Amino acid sequence: MSDLASTRRGAAAFLENVAFSGLHEAVGSRDWAAKWRELGDTHFRRGDLSSAKGAIDEAREAWLCALTAFEVARRLLDEDDPGGEQVSAQIELGVQRFGSALQQKMERVQITSCWNQSELPAYFLPASHAGLCCPAVICVSREQESAATLLGRVLPLSLGRAISILVVSHDDVSNQPPGASKFFLSSCLDFLSVQDNVDPTRIGVYGEGLSAVIATDFAAEDTRVAAAVCDGGLWNWARRLASIGWMTRAAEVPNEQLAWARRSQRVRQMKCPVLLVAGGRGVVSLSEAVSLQNDCADTRIDILTIPQTSIFRLGEIENFLASDDRIFRWLEHKLAKRMPPTGSDGQRSDTAMFRAGD
């Protein structure tokens, strides 16, 4: 696996077959993590040697291979395993190495919140297509994941696409005062809107894990958002049902008409295309996503199904390469500069079902 394409194919094949790879015990998981980490180290060294020789293109590809291998290793380790922190540190170092070799400048920027004027860090990677006015995406990591870790994953996806990326961490966004996270993300959108090569009318948001909930609130409140990868309000709906059940000690759920109205309330406030990432480690189940899509047939809701790869003692492992690629292809498609079709009611509608293997 000497180039990026073969490295990512090999990693995807490994994750697809992980259920048959002896990962049912912690020892087997650590052994495989060590092998992927060793592969990452090999690519890392190859990138450093190429950089020293002035072969920058070869160095960049090698570092991208290393980032992919390190991400596989990180996911194979238990959250409490000290090796996980070491791999995360290697990912951050790889991001720094890669940034120094880019023709376009990858910046560590400070975003000033319009809520309380506090400043929070972010990574900004401009689109590599100089002179073009390109779309952009605000990417929010899942809980307990740094912005650098998410950036290490999206770097191979963003390069070669005419799209700018702004990456922030879940912890930074969620640690805002109650209700203020959407204002901080609006400040992120403000930042992108004034960048020379960003089209302010084509800025999307992508939230992972509980950040999908934050992305929903942001897209519902800020009408400038052009596309959203989020939970469509389903997490808060599930919490409301649980709260009602606890307070009333009732096992039954509200009647179907009330459930339809409540379930679809938040997503109907969103004026942009929506992608629900269902299954896997996400906060949305496939059945919930399909119910919401059926409830809101007149809105633009797509579904990306993440199949379970393997469930064992340390948790669930996903084929993140397949899902990440599908998510960015969806964003690229929805943020393309074109007029979408209109439905009979005048609303834009192009609902479709996406699956990770499509």
Side-chain angles (χ1 to χ4, degrees):
M1 295 188 286
S2 59
D3 60 17
L4 181 60
S6 60
T7 297
R8 292 182 70 81
R9 282 196 303 269
F14 168 77
L15 293 174
E16 282 295 325
N17 294 288
V18 70
F20 307 102
S21 301
L23 290 181
H24 303 289
E25 298 294 336
V27 173
S29 175
R30 286 196 298 269
D31 288 345
W32 275 109
K35 292 178 181 179
W36 280 100
R37 185 175 176 182
E38 182 180 357
L39 178 62
D41 288 334
T42 299
H43 286 305
F44 217 158
R45 290 191 296 269
R46 184 165 61 88
D48 290 345
L49 289 172
S50 297
S51 178
K53 296 176 182 177
I56 300 302
D57 289 342
E58 294 178 9
R60 284 197 294 260
E61 183 164 38
W63 287 327
L64 287 177
C65 292
L67 288 172
T68 299
F70 288 146
E71 180 63 21
V72 175
R74 188 180 73 87
R75 289 172 178 253
L76 292 171
L77 294 171
D78 183 27
E79 292 181 357
D80 298 327
D81 193 315
E85 293 186 4
Q86 297 171 5
V87 173
S88 294
Q90 288 175 297
I91 291 174
E92 187 163 356
L93 182 59
V95 167
Q96 294 172 1
R97 288 274 210 286
F98 191 85
S100 66
L102 282 175
Q103 292 178 348
Q104 77 272 29
K105 187 178 180 182
M106 186 173 71
E107 302 177 75
R108 182 74 159 156
V109 299
Q110 296 290 324
I111 305 296
T112 302
S113 173
C114 61
W115 173 263
N116 56 9
Q117 300 304 303
S118 63
E119 291 190 340
L120 293 176
Y123 286 99
F124 176 51
L125 178 66
S128 58
H129 293 60
L132 294 180
C133 199
C134 300
V137 178
I138 303 167
C139 300
V140 190
S141 71
R142 70 169 53 247
E143 55 277 16
Q144 298 181 332
E145 182 179 76
S146 70
T149 299
L150 178 56
L151 180 59
R153 268 178 49 210
V154 302
L155 273 174
L157 298 162
S158 61
L159 295 175
R161 286 185 165 99
I163 190 167
S164 294
I165 302 293
L166 185 72
V167 181
V168 296
S169 78
H170 171 88
D171 292 344
D172 285 339
V173 178
S174 63
N175 286 339
Q176 298 292 301
S181 60
K182 58 181 176 288
F183 292 102
F184 172 68
L185 291 181
S186 288
S187 298
C188 291
L189 196 150
D190 292 338
F191 169 85
L192 288 172
S193 296
V194 298
Q195 302 305 309
D196 291 338
N197 62 340
V198 171
D199 183 345
T201 67
R202 294 189 290 153
I203 298 177
V205 62
Y206 164 34
E208 276 210 317
L210 289 179
S211 293
V213 183
I214 297 173
T216 297
D217 292 340
F218 170 49
E221 298 292 336
D222 197 320
T223 57
R224 296 175 297 170
V225 178
V229 181
C230 60
D231 83 320
L234 288 174
W235 175 256
N236 287 331
W237 160 247
R239 291 178 63 188
R240 186 182 297 115
L241 280 183
S243 177
I244 292 173
W246 179 81
M247 289 186 295
T248 63
R249 299 294 194 271
E252 65 273 8
V253 299
N255 65 66
E256 185 56 32
Q257 185 174 5
L258 177 60
W260 171 85
R262 296 282 184 159
R263 188 168 52 218
S264 62
Q265 183 178 28
R266 196 58 170 163
V267 76
R268 287 179 178 276
Q269 296 173 354
M270 304 168 69
K271 306 304 180 184
C272 65
V274 173
L275 178 65
L276 304 180
V277 181
R281 294 193 302 158
V283 297
V284 177
S285 71
L286 180 58
S287 60
E288 291 170 330
V290 171
S291 295
L292 184 62
Q293 187 185 50
N294 291 336
D295 291 345
C296 306
D298 58 340
T299 62
R300 298 199 296 171
I301 300 178
D302 296 334
I303 301 174
L304 172 61
T305 303
I306 307 298
Q308 292 181 350
T309 301
S310 179
I311 299 178
F312 62 109
R313 196 168 64 84
L314 295 181
E316 183 177 316
I317 301 176
E318 300 169 354
N319 188 344
F320 68 91
L321 294 106
S323 59
D324 286 352
D325 181 67
R326 293 294 291 155
I327 288 168
F328 268 78
R329 286 172 59 189
W330 183 89
L331 284 166
E332 188 176 38
H333 173 64
K334 296 302 177 183
L335 296 174
K337 200 168 187 177
R338 72 194 195 289
M339 290 298 294
T342 56
S344 58
D345 58 357
Q347 295 194 44
R348 294 177 295 182
S349 178
D350 57 353
T351 302
M353 177 79 78
F354 285 83
R355 296 187 183 276
D358 288 351

